[in-house]
Amino acid sequence: ATPCISDKPWYRPGETVRYRSLTLSRFGLSADREVPVRFEMLDPGGSALEGSSREGITEHGVGCGEFDLAPELPDGTYTLVAHSPDGRFPDGRLAFSVRGGRAPASKAGDRAAGSSAATSASGNLAKLDVRFYPEGGDLIAGIENRVYFVARDASGKPVRLAGRVVDGHGRPAALIETTYEGMGLFPIEPVLGERYRLVLDAPKDVKDEPTLPPAVAGAGIVLTTGQGVFEAGRPLEFNVRAKEAGRPLVAAAWCCGVPVGQQAFVTQTQASSGPTDANPVTLALDDRVGGVIRLTIYDFRAAPPKPVAERLVFRRPGRRWNVHVDVGPRSYSPGSTVELPIRVTDEAGNPARAALGLAVVDGALVGQAGGPTASMPTYFVLGIDIQRPGDLENLDFYLSEDPKAAKALDLLLGTQGWRRFAEKTSEDFGKPGDGGDRTARLAVPGEPPEPPTVLDNLAELRSRYQEGLETDRAQRGRVLNFLMALAFFGGLGLVWFVAMLSLLNVPCGARLWGPAIGTAVVCVLVGAAVLNPPRRAGTVPPVAFASFQNPLRKARGLLENKPVTHVASGSAIRRDPKKVEVG
């Protein structure tokens, strides 16, 4: 995991680096067990600093240590690594700077956190990278799609842009504009075979015309979640539109690699369901489920079931600990005595037990961190599911109370790509530029997530049919049965009678054959319809889901609820030059 908090952004050679880590379970984010942890310092070249290794056992999930930097240590970016000796959690890393001189001053004109990158005074942008992410995965022809996008410059910074999406003939199909951090969203109903491109109105000097992915045909599925941020305790409510009716689908929700809910349904088309949304789905979740949730739609006509649409959504956690510190002065002089009354309450305001850490830092260094940071709650709730959280200006903003935060979070999750999680293999985990082992936490490391288990419903359908048939037969009286049988066999008898007259050379003619055959056909059809309950009911037959049972899997990480680790600078009590007490 990439650490997100640093109490001191840089150190001088010869100073003592004090650090800590927090290890929590992947699901539930609780310190449900104590685990061994080993710390190590790496130089800018990736080699371990001599004597920097420290080992200990966490207490309340917390591990900590300290290390004295050598006086002759060269300047550069160093890395603290928290490693699990028994493989219970992936490595946690924290980068920090060592400089022999004074701290670098803030540069005038630095962008404020949360702002989008602007062009230079001359308006010059060498290259613009615009990527499109249709919601759910594929761009489906003939159905309105929502498409997320993100625009960045050559250095990876977000860029404000505005423009038009046009088809191959230059006709406008959608207007687009960035909303936050180079991200935006627009609707489009693509036509099969058309190639759509983006024509920029701003910035004006960019000549590139990025293209959208081609629209696909076939039995497409469009997943629409609206603003994909749901309140705590609320179900996930979304819509699934399909070009084909009667398609057996299952909506499954995963949180931190753990399945938390699923719902089976059969698709209807717009024509069969009216002008409203075709397939609204409500997925109820346990109140304890919160954070980033991967929502996947599976097609159960295939064996094994095939994922056809997917995206990330967010459900606000229902549990929250509030730390109240009765602070007097905002700052203190070195050597002064400080008394800090602290209270911890839960989301209902009731007193709660908590393990707290405290750090005393130089106020002059606060705010001089060299890169983006995030608070510990944001890191665990959001940061571990984002591909490159270090690229974001202010990760904390997305979970803030700002009215624009929910919309910005929806844009962030919508631009995380599609099938990035379910199609990962053990070789893909940890590749440079793809989020490292952060991706692996969404499933058991080395194993792609499997489709949800749905029991075979064929036996239930047969049982329901048999019960309906017996009920229908019981409700019909003997008189009705006699009349229906008389109509059915009477029609056949009338045809037989006319046929016999013809064989006996009795003149019949069209005046006798016409009414006889017409009457016989009507009697046969009426009798057959009445004697066949399913046809008489006139209902749409139920759809059978393909039988699927998850094979036995080596889910050690899932069964043991593998933890994740966050590393941050902090304090430790040093008892021995070779050992450190943790807690």
Side-chain angles (χ1 to χ4, degrees), residues 7 17-20 62-66 357-360 568-574 580-581 583:
D7 295 322
V17 179
R18 296 179 176 88
Y19 49 82
R20 67 181 185 273
V62 177
C64 59
E66 62 182 27
L358 180 65
V360 180
S569 61
S571 59
I573 302 176
R574 191 170 182 176
V580 62
E581 180 179 346

Side-chain angles (χ1 to χ4, degrees), residues 67-196:
F67 177 68
D68 294 331
L69 300 176
E72 67 279 3
L73 197 68
D75 291 1
T77 300
Y78 292 76
T79 304
L80 167 68
V81 179
H83 178 74
S84 173
D86 56 4
R88 286 180 176 268
F89 57 83
D91 288 351
R93 295 174 177 266
L94 172 67
F96 63 94
S97 298
V98 175
R99 298 188 180 95
R102 301 179 60 183
S106 300
K107 296 180 181 179
D110 281 353
R111 292 182 291 119
S115 63
S116 295
T119 59
S120 62
S122 61
N124 183 32
L125 271 176
K127 185 175 179 57
L128 188 63
D129 181 21
V130 182
R131 300 189 180 187
F132 300 96
Y133 302 92
E135 186 175 20
D138 292 324
L139 193 62
I140 307 299
I143 303 180
E144 184 178 85
N145 297 247
R146 298 200 314 165
V147 180
Y148 291 80
F149 69 93
V150 58
R152 298 187 180 278
D153 60 17
S155 62
K157 299 299 182 181
V159 176
R160 293 191 183 101
L161 62 80
R164 296 158 286 125
V165 174
V166 300
D167 60 17
H169 302 282
R171 295 171 298 195
L175 298 177
I176 77 168
E177 185 175 3
T178 54
T179 304
Y180 181 79
E181 285 285 342
M183 298 177 292
L185 172 67
F186 63 91
I188 186 173
E189 185 172 331
V191 177
L192 186 63
E194 282 283 4
R195 293 295 305 205
Y196 296 90

Side-chain angles (χ1 to χ4, degrees), residues 157-484:
K157 299 299 182 181
V159 176
R160 293 191 183 101
L161 62 80
R164 296 158 286 125
V165 174
V166 300
D167 60 17
H169 302 282
R171 295 171 298 195
L175 298 177
I176 77 168
E177 185 175 3
T178 54
T179 304
Y180 181 79
E181 285 285 342
M183 298 177 292
L185 172 67
F186 63 91
I188 186 173
E189 185 172 331
V191 177
L192 186 63
E194 282 283 4
R195 293 295 305 205
Y196 296 90
R197 69 184 192 278
L198 172 60
V199 178
L200 291 175
D201 297 326
K204 295 183 178 300
D205 61 321
V206 178
K207 304 302 181 184
D208 292 341
E209 294 185 350
T211 58
L212 272 69
V216 299
I221 294 293
V222 173
L223 171 63
T224 304
T225 62
Q227 185 166 283
V229 178
F230 300 88
E231 296 301 320
R234 301 291 300 173
L236 304 185
E237 297 179 331
F238 53 93
N239 178 63
V240 176
R241 284 175 291 160
K243 299 180 65 175
E244 178 184 354
R247 194 170 178 180
L249 302 179
V250 172
W254 299 71
C255 183
C256 297
V258 178
V260 294
Q262 66 184 62
Q263 177 66 50
F265 61 99
V266 179
T267 60
Q268 298 180 358
T269 60
Q270 292 283 358
S272 61
S273 63
T276 59
D277 289 340
N279 302 283
V281 180
T282 299
L283 193 58
L285 305 180
D286 189 279
D287 289 343
R288 295 171 294 178
V289 177
V292 178
I293 297 174
R294 177 171 59 87
L295 183 61
T296 307
I297 309 299
Y298 290 90
D299 187 345
F300 266 72
R301 294 183 304 183
K306 178 183 177 182
V308 291
E310 179 183 82
R311 70 154 295 174
L312 298 181
V313 297
F314 188 84
R315 192 193 199 206
R316 300 190 187 278
R319 301 178 61 191
R320 183 171 66 179
W321 260 223
N322 301 301
V323 180
H324 308 273
V325 182
D326 296 332
V327 181
R330 300 298 299 176
S331 61
Y332 301 88
S333 301
S336 61
T337 301
V338 180
E339 182 177 348
L340 294 178
I342 299 176
R343 295 180 297 110
V344 180
T345 60
D346 59 18
E347 61 278 358
N350 300 318
R353 297 180 61 185
L356 302 177
L358 180 65
V360 180
V361 299
D362 187 348
L365 299 179
V366 176
Q368 294 185 5
T373 62
S375 65
M376 193 169 291
T378 300
Y379 173 80
F380 278 110
V381 174
L382 180 60
I384 60 176
D385 295 317
I386 303 301
Q387 274 188 295
R388 289 179 291 271
D391 293 344
L392 303 175
E393 286 293 319
N394 185 4
L395 196 61
D396 284 339
F397 169 78
Y398 294 96
L399 300 185
S400 68
E401 300 297 331
D402 192 294
K404 299 179 181 179
K407 187 174 182 179
L409 179 56
D410 175 63
L411 294 174
L412 175 64
L413 298 178
T415 55
Q416 289 297 301
W418 180 70
R419 305 306 308 149
R420 181 170 64 88
F421 314 105
E423 292 182 352
K424 280 289 179 182
T425 63
S426 57
E427 290 77 14
D428 295 323
F429 292 139
K431 283 186 176 180
D434 198 30
D437 53 22
R438 205 172 268 110
T439 303
R441 288 196 205 97
L442 296 179
V444 178
E447 298 183 17
E450 295 171 344
T453 299
V454 173
L455 299 180
D456 190 343
N457 66 338
L458 291 176
E460 180 185 358
L461 296 182
R462 293 193 183 99
S463 176
R464 288 166 51 189
Y465 172 81
Q466 190 64 32
E467 291 177 359
L469 185 62
E470 293 175 357
T471 301
D472 181 84
R473 289 174 176 172
Q475 291 176 348
R476 292 184 302 170
R478 294 183 178 179
V479 176
L480 181 60
N481 289 335
F482 174 76
L483 294 177
M484 294 303 100

